[in-house]
Amino acid sequence: MNGGQDVHMLAGAYALDAIDDELERRRFEAHLDGCGDCAQEVGGLAETAALLGQAMAATPPPQLKSRVMAEIGQVRQLPPVVARQGSHRGFTRGRVGARAAKVVAAAGVAAAVALGALAYQARTELDDLRTANRQVEAVLAAPDARRASLKEGQGVEGTVVLSRSAGRMVFIASGLAPLPDDKTYQLWQLSPGQAHPAGLLRPDDSGYTAPTVAVPVSGATSVGLTVEPAGGSAAPTTTPLLVMDLPAA
C-alpha cells in the first residue's frame, strides 16, 4: 500500500473477504478502526453482498420442471403388447413385436430430443446467470465501488452499487408487489431530459428482484423504477415508484 488513498480503495475487497495478503488485511483493519467513511462503506457493501448472494444463487430455472412435465405429457404412451398364443402365429407375433419396437424407439427418440432441448436451454440460462454473478462480484470487489440505497414510503427499496473502473452498476430492489403477466418492472438510468432503459425486473414471492447489471450511461445521475407493459418500453409510461441518485464517484 502506498498511502492513505490506497487504504481507502480496499473497502470493497475487504467487504467481500477478497484481501489475500494477511499483512495487507491487518493494515486495513487497523485503518478501519479509525476511519468512519471506510467503516460505513464496508458495512454497506457487506450488507449488499449478502442480499445479492441470496438473489444470485444459481438454481435451475423454476419454469424448467413445468416445461419438462409438459413435454413428457405430449409423448404418447404405448398400450401393452399382448403376445398371441399358438406356434402357427409366430410370424405374426414377430411382425407385431418388430413394429412395437420401432414405435417405442421413435417415442424414446422424441422424448430424448425434447428433454435434450430443455436441458440445453436450462444450461444456457445457468451460464447467463453465472456470467451475471461474475459481473456482480467484480463490481462489489472493485476498489472504487460505491453504494447508495433509498426506501420510499410505500416500502419499495432500491440499492445500487456503481464502479466506474469495472464499467458496471448493479441494482437490486425489494418490497415490490407481484405484477400480472402483461406487466413488468423496468429500470432506467436518468440524465437531464432523458431516460435510458437499463433492464427488466420481476420480483420473487418475497418482493426481491435478482440483481440487474447495466453499463453506466454517460451523463446519468440517477436511476428510476417504473411499471411497464411486458417486454418493456422505449420510454417510461408511468410515474416512477422509485428515483434515487447514483453514488458519487
Side-chain angles (χ1 to χ4, degrees):
M1 293 183 296
N2 301 316
Q5 182 64 27
D6 290 340
V7 178
H8 292 294
M9 299 289 274
L10 290 174
Y14 184 81
L16 292 183
D17 194 24
I19 301 179
D20 296 327
D21 186 271
E22 184 64 25
L23 180 59
E24 193 170 52
R25 172 184 290 276
R26 290 179 180 176
R27 288 177 177 174
F28 180 78
E29 288 174 342
H31 164 79
L32 192 62
D33 289 339
C35 181
D37 289 342
C38 281
Q40 183 177 4
E41 195 72 29
V42 168
L45 289 174
E47 178 185 355
T48 302
L51 291 174
L52 294 176
Q54 296 175 2
M56 293 189 306
T59 56
Q63 303 87 352
L64 178 59
K65 180 179 179 180
S66 59
R67 292 202 302 263
V68 170
M69 298 307 295
E71 291 289 342
I72 292 176
Q74 296 178 18
V75 178
R76 186 175 181 180
Q77 183 175 355
L78 294 174
V81 178
V82 180
R84 297 182 181 180
Q85 296 181 355
S87 59
H88 64 285
R89 297 184 181 272
F91 177 71
T92 302
R93 288 201 306 272
R95 292 181 61 185
V96 171
R99 187 180 301 115
K102 291 180 180 179
V103 173
V104 170
V109 170
V113 170
L115 294 176
L118 288 173
Y120 175 79
Q121 183 176 352
R123 189 179 303 113
T124 300
E125 292 175 3
L126 289 176
D127 287 344
D128 292 342
L129 182 57
R130 293 189 180 101
T131 298
N133 290 355
R134 288 192 292 270
Q135 292 176 342
V136 169
E137 291 168 359
V139 171
L140 294 182
D144 62 341
R146 296 294 179 267
R147 172 186 179 272
S149 293
L150 178 67
K151 186 171 185 177
E152 291 289 5
Q154 59 266 50
V156 177
E157 183 173 4
T159 297
V160 62
V161 181
L162 173 65
S163 168
R164 300 292 181 184
S165 64
R168 295 286 189 278
M169 68 175 222
V170 179
F171 177 86
I172 188 170
S174 63
L176 296 178
L179 293 175
D181 291 341
D182 62 344
K183 299 291 183 182
T184 187
Y185 290 102
Q186 186 163 359
L187 182 67
W188 307 89
Q189 294 188 61
L190 307 175
S191 57
Q194 289 186 304
H196 310 272
L200 304 180
L201 303 85
R202 183 161 290 275
D204 59 18
D205 293 339
S206 60
Y208 283 87
T209 65
T212 297
V213 182
V215 176
V217 173
S218 178
T221 58
S222 59
V223 293
L225 187 65
T226 62
V227 176
E228 301 296 335
S233 302
T237 63
T238 62
T239 302
L241 301 172
L242 178 81
V243 175
M244 57 182 295
D245 293 336
L246 289 171

